[in-house]
Amino acid sequence: MKTINRLFSIFLIFLFLSNGLPLRLSAQPASPHHRPKVGLVLSGGGAKGFMHIGVLKVLEQEGIPVDIIVGTSIGSLIGGIYSIGYSADELEQIVQQQKWDELLSSDVSRLYLSPRDQALKQRYLFSLPINKEKKLSLPAGVIRPQNVLNLFCGLTANVPVDADFSNFPVKFACIAANIENGNEEVLDRGFLPTAMYASMAIPGVFMPGERDGKLLVDGGVVNNFPVDVAKKMGADIIIGVDIRDDYYEKADIKSMSEILLNLINFYSKAKDEKNRDLCDIVIKPDGTGYSGASFSRSAADTLIQRGIDAADAFRPALRALKEKYRLEPRTLSRQYIEPQAWRITQIELACKDELNKEFLLKNLNLETGETYNYADIKAGIDRLYGTGGFRNIYFELADNEKGKTLQLHLTMQEERSQNIGFRVNTTEAAALLLNASWKNFSRTFSLVSVSTELSANPGLNLLAETNWHHFPDLGFEVNAKFQNYNIYDDGKKAFDADLFYTSGKVYLEQRFRKFRTGFSAQQEYFDGDVFARDNTQTLSDATSFLLSGASFYASFDNMDHYYFPRKGTRLYVEATYNTDLKADGKNSPYLLFKMENVVPISRKVAFLANVYGRGVLNSNYPEIKSTFIGGEAYSRYFNYHLPFTGINPVMIGERFIGIGLVGLRFRLSSSQYLSVVFNSLQQGREYDEIVPELAIYGGGIKYNLKTFAGPLDITVGSSDFAKKPTFAANLGLWF
């Protein structure tokens, strides 16, 4: 019998070696009452970590129990989530559900930004922070942990805040590097989300993680394949999954991704050989064609399958281990997975700085006593983060007598930034917009912003806003701008306008999620002339206007993108009452309506439907308040300037104007769009006397391209107002 057993063992070893499979059967066969502990080690490697999921699928299919799991970087994410009871299939679903471009960024949806912050995001190409010494500085990382850390908080919401990771269904630890002294840090207790984040915080890409007063970065810098840690945790049998590339050679180094991965591999090189020797099985999936930055759904699907393919080759070895050591599959506890909705009976704000709690709770907009899931909590956090006064916000849940306590950890920042916007178009040639902004929600004035436009039509804007408890936002705004534009009549340039415009207003504004209402009182001053092209006459005898007035406005905006929305509606309604103080108190009321809709028909086709309208309710009104018509959205001079494809800016409309636009937009690629639009204009001198003879019909073709400098827009249009086709183009952000 002994001879037969020896021959059988020799046969197995020969079989495995002949297939090139690294095998190390070092542990002793298990007794009926005790079996060796199986450890799984997952290396770092960026997006290639999706291959870990494929390997886990095969281990589950083969019934291999995983008792200990240790990971670095992406390996810590996969391992950490798996260790609390998620299955490999659930991990795959989580990966497939993510919007990776949003998750791996510091941004939140524009729907959660204030109107001022939306404008900052939409207008400026570059933003550089200014430190307390009032000098330009660079951030510690390009990406803040805001979105990815909160995803971890949601997935692990049922795990105790002060957890001992050895008590998880699968004993777990992950590796980080102490950026202050270069030490290897084994994270095996505490708040799981911050441990996983610290382990994956690639230096220079992600902001460092903070735990127990230590500043931590990606563990791949010190130990990217931590087999030795699994051994110290009691693993008898170790299965290693190494997704790292070999060192990139000169010809293959084409981006920062390859440089960073080479550097990480250099730092952990000393431990690699020893760690590989400690493994019983080393599975090395093929990640050819993908990099550590290949975070997308299609890449994830392929990489998961490659993990399955790589592990398939080891099924004989896995089955041999299972048989020799009498391994049986484990049923893992689901206590940390369910429930996935919680009754929040208390909300706490944890921050080192002084907080305006009433303002923050108002924006959080989560009532206690209600049941919320992760999406609800994340939306509330996004509303807070969207105010722009925080470096990051994340949450944790704790039990209380009546339900759960939602504790938000807020890191405030006195955000000072210098912002730069640029555009060049056929209307105003080149323009540069410079802005300096200061935000601090612990101060009376939470936002102060100064902007100046350098262009053929230079301008200046000053804004200050305060947020006080449950009251509406109170703001002050001053504008000054020179405007030079052409006025078309019968399709030809008829007049040149040369104006100076300045205004000051005070506003109160209340936000209700996607709705916004406000009231403003303003003073406006216009001065200048409008001359005929031959300089023989002026359009108006008045050369200046001093208008005092008030406005009520309401808006709704759920567009998922400002420049390239796939769906949504943008609505703005305004009622204004003006008095001309230089014309014996001449009173003029106005109504303004704008609505833009994008309705998806398929993944690549969307239906466009826009409606614009304006009414001047008094026939004796200042000419400067006439409705402007023509051009594209980026070439508007005032907020009562309505776009029309096929008319060059500007045409002066009648007192009552209605414009409708319909069209189809085709997505040619991820960055290119082509639209075909038709619009019509109806107008009249009275609201019930629309004159058919004054109607104008037109349309055009629009091409849009996403570029690093902002959107490129090219429009060729035609109408029965213009004598020849119109052409408009813009490169850069709109302001």
Side-chain angles (χ1 to χ4, degrees), residues 345-540:
T345 57
Q346 188 174 348
I347 299 175
E348 296 179 355
L349 305 178
C351 183
K352 296 178 181 178
D353 302 297
E354 182 181 350
L355 293 173
N356 184 338
K357 292 186 177 181
E358 291 86 351
F359 167 72
L360 297 178
L361 291 174
K362 178 183 74 173
N363 280 273
L364 182 65
N365 199 23
L366 296 177
E367 297 292 334
T368 55
E370 300 295 330
T371 299
Y372 300 103
N373 59 22
Y374 165 69
D376 300 325
I377 296 172
K378 180 60 164 58
I381 290 174
D382 284 349
R383 285 190 288 272
L384 285 185
Y385 187 73
T387 61
F390 303 94
R391 185 188 305 164
N392 66 278
I393 306 172
Y394 66 90
F395 76 96
E396 63 185 48
L397 295 174
D399 293 324
N400 62 44
E401 294 180 355
K402 298 180 180 179
K404 291 283 187 180
T405 297
L406 172 64
Q407 186 172 76
L408 301 182
H409 294 265
L410 305 98
T411 303
M412 293 190 68
Q413 63 177 1
E414 186 175 317
E415 183 176 299
R416 303 181 185 187
S417 62
Q418 181 170 303
N419 309 291
I420 302 172
F422 169 80
R423 75 177 182 198
V424 56
N425 60 40
T426 52
T427 303
E428 296 180 303
L432 187 68
L433 186 63
L434 304 177
N435 169 268
S437 294
W438 175 80
K439 296 179 185 177
N440 188 329
F441 285 93
S442 65
R443 304 289 184 181
T444 300
F445 285 97
S446 55
L447 170 64
V448 176
S449 174
V450 180
S451 303
T452 181
E453 179 182 341
L454 306 177
S455 68
N457 294 317
L460 178 69
N461 174 273
L462 304 175
L463 174 70
E465 188 172 275
T466 183
N467 311 105
W468 186 251
H469 301 289
H470 291 287
F471 295 103
D473 300 340
L474 172 65
F476 309 88
E477 186 172 12
V478 176
N479 280 297
K481 187 170 176 62
F482 289 93
Q483 295 278 30
N484 180 272
Y485 51 89
N486 298 308
I487 298 176
Y488 287 77
D489 185 25
D490 195 27
K492 298 179 181 179
K493 290 181 181 179
F495 296 90
D496 287 326
D498 192 1
L499 295 173
F500 171 72
Y501 164 73
T502 184
S503 69
K505 74 175 180 179
V506 179
Y507 61 85
L508 284 171
E509 187 171 284
Q510 182 69 56
R511 280 184 287 158
F512 306 92
R513 298 197 175 185
K514 301 177 182 67
F515 290 91
R516 177 168 57 102
T517 61
F519 172 83
S520 67
Q522 62 265 352
Q523 195 81 28
E524 298 175 285
Y525 177 71
F526 300 84
D527 185 62
D529 296 293
V530 180
F531 291 97
R533 297 289 290 180
D534 57 9
N535 291 322
T536 59
Q537 60 174 322
T538 60
L539 183 63
S540 172

Side-chain angles (χ1 to χ4, degrees), residues 593-719:
F593 179 89
K594 303 176 185 178
M595 184 171 67
E596 300 170 343
N597 300 277
V598 179
V599 181
I601 297 176
S602 67
R603 290 184 60 208
K604 294 191 174 184
V605 181
F607 176 68
L608 310 177
N610 300 343
V611 178
Y612 306 97
R614 186 167 186 257
V616 182
L617 305 183
N618 189 334
S619 60
N620 191 18
Y621 62 94
E623 289 85 348
I624 194 62
K625 285 293 184 176
S626 299
T627 303
F628 287 23
I629 301 170
E632 300 302 312
Y634 51 77
S635 59
R636 299 179 189 179
Y637 293 109
F638 300 102
N639 77 324
Y640 48 87
H641 182 170
L642 308 181
F644 191 96
T645 300
I647 297 178
N648 286 312
V650 294
M651 175 194 115
I652 302 299
E654 296 291 343
R655 285 175 52 207
F656 293 90
I657 299 288
I659 297 174
L661 177 146
V662 293
L664 290 176
R665 190 186 66 195
F666 303 90
R667 184 161 61 93
L668 306 179
S669 69
S670 60
S671 61
Q672 298 184 83
Y673 298 83
L674 184 69
S675 303
V676 180
V677 300
F678 170 80
N679 45 197
S680 69
L681 182 153
Q682 306 296 323
Q683 56 182 330
R685 297 176 181 87
E686 300 293 339
Y687 74 93
D688 56 351
E689 295 182 5
I690 302 301
V691 182
E693 291 79 9
L694 297 178
I696 298 174
Y697 301 93
I701 297 176
K702 302 183 180 187
Y703 172 77
N704 309 99
L705 174 67
K706 294 180 183 179
T707 77
F708 73 94
L712 170 65
D713 303 273
I714 299 174
T715 303
V716 177
S718 178
S719 72

